Amino acid sequence: MPHQTDEELIQHTHNTSRFFVENRQIAWAALVAVIAWGIYGYLSMPQRKDPNIPVRVAVASCQWPGATAQEVEQLVTRPIEQTIAENKTIHPASADDYGIRSISLPGTSIVYVQLAETIKNTREQFSDINLRLQALGPKLPNGATGVEFQSDFGDTAAVMMTVASPPIDALEIQMRSRSVEDAIRAARSAMGSAAGPAAGPSKFGRISIIYTFPLTLSSTGVAQITEALRQDAERAGVLRRSRLITGRGFMGVDAETSFDDEQIQAYLKQFIADRLHESEIYPDVSEPVIIHGPSKTRQKLATVATAKYTYAQLDDFTNLIGRTLLGAPQTSRIERKGVLPQSVYLDYSQERLAAYGLQPYDLGRALNARNITLPGGSIDADGGRIQIDPSGKFENAPAIGNVLLRAPQGGASLYLRDLVQINRAYQAPPEYLNFYTATGKDGKPRRSRAITLAIYMRSGEQIQKFGASIDEKLKQVRAVLPADLIIARTSDQPLQVKENVDLFMTALYEAILLVVLIALIGFWEWRSALLMAVSIPITLAMAFGMAHTMQIDLQQISIASLIIALGLLVDNPVVANDAIKRGLAAGHPRMIAAWLGPTKLARAIVYATATNITAYLPFLMLTGSTGDFLHSLPLMMAAALLSSLLAAMTFVPLLGYYLVRPPKRPEPSLEERRNRGFYGAYYRLAGAAIRWRWAVLGVSLVFLASGLMVASKLKTQFFPDDV
């Protein structure tokens, strides 16, 4: 304020800087309140990895098995597109973007829909589209499934936890190999006794083809496949004089053969390809091993060590883990990926059914009539009501075989188990498989099937508290799970957010250290350096309080904004501190210099702060997902810079009253500073630039034009399409 002298300012100025210096008790109370406000805001701010933005893309899919791509396009895809287009909020088509895109494949229609960038309430619009598509279902061709509409692509799992089985350990391999070896020796001894002493040397060698599987797995299904293999190999001449070898956790065939190992392995692959689907083979069963001498059993079995726990056990384990983690207060929902469901299969022969005058649909009709799951009603008895629960529901797979069938034309009745073979097995073929790869003790990667739990956090929660709740629940359920069960976090957003916060804290510590060092070099005293260092946490506390008031989440964009702002936060306190020192050097008392210095530079401080804030405000003009993603950046910058301005005009004068002291030596005059040192060099350079101002302006315009030319050659894209 050059138009007013210091005396006039002292007599007529009454502002916040003077109030905070003259009413220090109130100022200290305000400082404590601001710090408490900042701590409360930081602890109460929702914390997440990424900003919460509405995803405006959804996909509608429909299956029509057997139809060609042209038929799918005309009879399925186009009606879906027309139905979606009835919604008025679809993104307008342009040269680079389309509101509706479709892909027609044989038997499959996929239609992508994108809402307009101005739509904020995407859930309401997607619900409207979904209702329209559901009404379209009956109008689609016969055989086409209903339209499946997925619009939850914005939901991101905060934690992904993969559960896998460890391989069987060395002790179990040793015990199992001993059982297999004893079974092989017993089988060969029995075959030798059956051949009799007169049997001479043979050109055939004796081998054993062994499968191993977890001890908890039923051997019924494995026995059927093994018996089919034995019979087919006998007919093909690959094996002779064969017999089954069975035991706890293993099964196989012991036989004579004239084929070598490579030929037998080729036959096994061909047998699986011709007689079985690969998906029909139990996933818990190991690859077959060929054993010649029983003494090599352990070595052979170690090469095909199976998983310790079956897929059914992993299903039970993850189900228990999921139900436990769902009890965490911050958890919204849990999905399990890679679950291999089990089904009951009825294998029947067309010829045998025809012999009894039955058709396959007769089996389904009999099962539906027996497996009653609806209530049978109720009756009143002696003033009370009794619910009727019809018996006959299938409790297990063997109960299905007890269904009584009546043959047509007065034929004899018979049980279903007499006509079909009932097996409980995994879904074949599986719709989705999940794998976990880890490095074993031998340094080689080991790949095993696994189940992954996707855990979602409720909106508005703090991800650190969410992570702590998940850890606590996992610790509880770990007590009832096998100790060697593998539970690996393949995605951990609480850890990622912690790393982002740690990055910010590291930048904060570095900023404080640099400020102290620069202040020591510039002011050459520790008091000014301490004032600068203290002003940073005060400013940040005020910024966190403002951010919480504006409902800004603590996520990577807001944290990045604070890291960017750290370089600007100290500008205003530095200017205020320097002004206080000048007031003290001019002979003013501490009570007056503490507020007079910042007051004289208030206009410059306000305009500089407003300029910095305005530089980031254009980010608010961004629309669509990009604008939503970066929305917190200008707001957090404005909060931090405004906090710096308020601190420079309030708490810096307060602390300056206690910390800053007059210089011990009188400062040099203005003329002396203009003629020596860095100040003098800068004064001469600025004077030359003003004298040759048109030349300087021309050079700056050349740089500006060059920058615009280079910028025009750059491709602009905020995010890749997949982000």
Side-chain angles (χ1 to χ4, degrees):
M1 298 179 181
H3 57 283
Q4 289 182 305
T5 63
D6 289 356
E7 289 72 15
E8 292 175 336
L9 289 174
I10 294 172
Q11 292 179 3
H12 303 292
T13 301
H14 299 280
N15 56 12
T16 55
S17 298
R18 185 169 188 172
F19 180 85
F20 268 66
V21 173
E22 294 179 351
N23 300 274
R24 292 184 293 279
Q25 294 86 352
I26 299 177
W28 280 109
L31 178 59
V32 173
V34 165
I35 294 177
W37 183 37
I39 295 174
Y40 171 78
Y42 174 77
L43 296 178
S44 302
M45 291 173 64
Q47 298 178 9
R48 51 191 300 124
K49 180 177 181 290
D50 296 309
N52 188 16
I53 62 175
V55 176
R56 300 178 175 87
V57 178
V59 61
S61 60
C62 181
Q63 307 291 328
W64 189 13
T68 63
Q70 292 78 6
E71 293 172 338
V72 170
E73 170 69 22
Q74 295 176 2
L75 301 178
V76 177
T77 302
R78 290 183 182 177
I80 293 178
E81 290 178 340
Q82 294 171 359
T83 302
I84 293 176
E86 295 175 1
N87 185 280
K88 304 303 182 183
T89 62
I90 303 300
H91 191 287
S94 62
D96 300 326
D97 206 351
Y98 299 92
I100 301 176
R101 296 181 293 114
S102 63
I103 301 175
S104 297
L105 303 172
T108 303
S109 172
I110 303 174
V111 181
Y112 295 92
V113 55
Q114 181 176 353
L115 300 180
E117 297 289 347
T118 57
I119 300 301
K120 298 298 182 182
N121 189 0
T122 59
R123 187 178 299 275
E124 179 181 347
Q125 302 304 325
F126 283 144
S127 178
D128 174 74
I129 295 175
N130 187 29
L131 290 175
R132 296 175 186 270
L133 292 175
Q134 299 307 316
L136 175 67
K139 302 177 183 179
L140 295 177
N142 292 332
T145 62
V147 181
E148 182 179 355
F149 189 68
Q150 297 182 1
S151 60
D152 57 350
F153 297 111
D155 295 340
T156 304
V159 173
M160 295 187 70
M161 198 174 296
T162 299
V163 180
S165 171
I168 57 177
D169 51 28
L171 178 60
E172 186 169 346
I173 292 177
Q174 180 180 359
M175 296 177 62
R176 185 173 298 183
S177 61
R178 187 177 302 170
S179 300
V180 174
E181 183 177 347
D182 292 342
I184 292 175
R185 293 185 185 278
R188 295 185 180 181
S189 176
M191 291 299 296
S193 301
S202 172
K203 64 176 181 178
F204 295 97
R206 197 137 195 102
I207 65 168
S208 297
I209 304 174
I210 302 297
Y211 296 86
T212 61
F213 45 86
L215 300 178
T216 56
L217 181 66
S218 173
S219 61
T220 304
V222 182
Q224 296 171 358
I225 296 176
T226 308
E227 177 61 22
L229 168 66
R230 188 190 68 80
Q231 295 178 4
D232 188 86
E234 287 269 9
R235 288 192 295 268
V238 177
L239 302 178
R240 61 186 296 269
R241 300 180 62 198
S242 62
R243 63 183 300 170
L244 288 180
I245 299 178
T246 60
R248 191 165 179 263
F250 69 92
M251 182 166 293
V253 178
D254 184 78
E256 292 181 348
T257 182
S258 59
F259 290 72
D260 57 25
D261 291 357
E262 293 184 359
Q263 292 174 323
I264 294 176
Q265 291 285 3
Y267 165 76
L268 293 175
K269 293 181 179 179
Q270 190 66 34
F271 172 79
I272 294 174
D274 294 343
R275 296 290 303 275
L276 301 172
H277 295 292
E278 189 174 355
S279 59
E280 294 181 15
I281 301 177
Y282 283 80
D284 303 315
V285 179
S286 71
E287 297 180 1
V289 293
I290 301 175
I291 301 175
H292 292 273
S295 59
K296 301 290 185 180
T297 300
R298 181 177 180 181
Q299 179 182 351
K300 290 285 187 177
L301 294 184
T303 61
V304 291
T306 59
K308 187 174 183 179
Y309 305 113
T310 65
Y311 238 96
Q313 289 178 293
L314 291 181
D315 188 0
D316 295 336
F317 294 153
T318 55
N319 184 41
L320 176 61
I321 295 173
R323 288 189 288 109
T324 303
L325 298 183
L326 195 59
Q330 295 84 7
T331 303
S332 62
R333 62 189 176 95
I334 293 179
E335 296 178 354
R336 291 191 299 158
K337 305 295 183 181
V339 176
L340 192 60
Q342 298 185 65
S343 303
V344 177
Y345 292 91
L346 306 182
D347 298 327
Y348 60 88
S349 169
Q350 288 278 15
E351 293 81 2
R352 192 170 185 182
L353 290 181
Y356 288 92
L358 296 173
Q359 298 292 333
Y361 67 83
D362 294 327
L363 304 182
R365 185 173 56 186
L367 293 175
N368 291 332
R370 167 71 181 275
N371 194 33
I372 302 174
T373 57
L374 297 176
S378 62
I379 59 174
D380 293 333
D382 295 333
R385 175 165 294 185
I386 301 175
Q387 297 292 333
I388 300 177
D389 183 16
S391 61
K393 291 185 293 186
F394 297 140
E395 301 293 341
N396 47 49
I400 298 176
N402 296 329
V403 173
L404 192 63
L405 297 176
R406 185 176 298 278
Q409 299 178 359
S413 299
L414 67 162
Y415 289 103
L416 182 61
R417 61 175 176 267
D418 298 327
L419 289 177
V420 301
Q421 190 174 20
I422 303 172
N423 296 315
R424 184 181 180 89
Y426 295 113
Q427 183 186 72
E431 295 181 358
Y432 179 84
L433 290 178
N434 187 39
F435 294 91
Y436 175 75
T437 302
T439 303
K441 296 181 180 180
D442 55 356
K444 297 180 180 179
R446 177 182 174 273
R447 183 170 181 258
S448 60
R449 292 186 180 181
I451 297 176
T452 295
L453 291 92
I455 309 167
Y456 296 82
M457 184 182 70
R458 296 183 186 276
S459 178
E461 296 287 348
Q462 288 191 331
I463 200 166
Q464 297 299 335
K465 293 183 179 179
F466 167 76
S469 298
I470 292 299
D471 292 339
E472 181 63 26
K473 292 294 184 180
L474 188 60
K475 182 180 179 181
Q476 295 175 7
V477 75
R478 254 299 193 183
V480 297
L481 294 175
D484 55 353
L485 185 67
I486 298 174
I487 302 180
R489 295 196 182 188
T490 49
S491 177
D492 192 349
Q493 287 193 6
L495 178 60
Q496 296 169 3
V497 172
K498 181 179 181 300
E499 291 174 349
N500 289 338
V501 174
D502 291 343
L503 175 64
F504 165 71
M505 296 305 298
T506 301
L508 174 62
Y509 299 146
E510 293 174 351
I512 294 176
L513 178 61
L514 290 175
V515 166
V516 171
L517 292 177
I518 297 300
L520 287 174
I521 295 173
F523 298 108
W524 204 245
E525 63 166 346
W526 65 270
R527 295 179 179 273
S528 296
L530 179 60
L531 178 59
M532 297 299 98
V534 173
S535 66
I536 294 180
I538 295 175
T539 303
L540 289 177
M542 197 180 305
F544 280 124
M546 291 184 181
H548 177 258
T549 303
M550 292 187 292
Q551 298 181 347
I552 298 177
D553 296 349
L554 190 64
Q555 23 77 14
Q556 62 174 338
I557 298 300
S558 58
I559 292 175
S561 304
L562 287 175
I563 294 176
I564 296 173
L566 282 177
L568 303 173
L569 293 182
V570 296
D571 289 351
N572 294 333
V574 166
V575 173
N577 174 77
D578 187 61
I580 295 173
K581 288 178 62 65
R582 290 184 179 278
L584 292 172
H588 293 296
R590 282 193 301 156
M591 179 72 72
I592 294 178
W595 66 266
L596 181 60
T599 299
K600 293 169 67 174
L601 297 177
R603 181 176 297 177
I605 293 175
V606 170
Y607 284 151
T609 303
T611 301
N612 288 330
I613 293 175
T614 305
Y616 291 92
L617 288 181
F619 280 103
L620 294 176
M621 301 174 62
L622 294 173
T623 59
S625 298
T626 302
D628 295 332
F629 194 81
L630 298 177
H631 182 74
S632 61
L633 189 149
L635 297 180
M636 200 69 190
M637 290 292 297
L641 295 176
L642 185 60
S643 300
S644 175
L645 170 63
L646 295 177
M649 304 307 295
T650 55
F651 298 117
V652 170
L654 171 67
L655 298 174
Y657 168 79
Y658 292 99
L659 292 176
V660 183
R661 295 290 183 270
K664 297 180 180 180
R665 295 180 300 175
E667 292 190 357
S669 64
L670 183 61
E671 291 298 329
E672 291 176 341
R673 283 184 290 151
R674 288 178 176 177
N675 293 324
R676 65 181 185 182
F678 176 79
Y679 187 91
Y682 178 75
Y683 176 79
R684 291 189 294 271
L685 178 63
I690 294 175
R691 289 194 302 270
W692 299 92
R693 51 189 173 275
W694 294 109
V696 173
L697 178 61
V699 173
S700 64
L701 291 177
V702 170
F703 277 104
L704 178 61
S706 301
L708 293 176
M709 290 180 60
V710 173
S712 64
K713 303 296 183 181
L714 299 176
K715 296 181 179 180
T716 58
Q717 185 177 6
F718 275 100
F719 307 107
D721 290 337
D722 60 344
V723 180

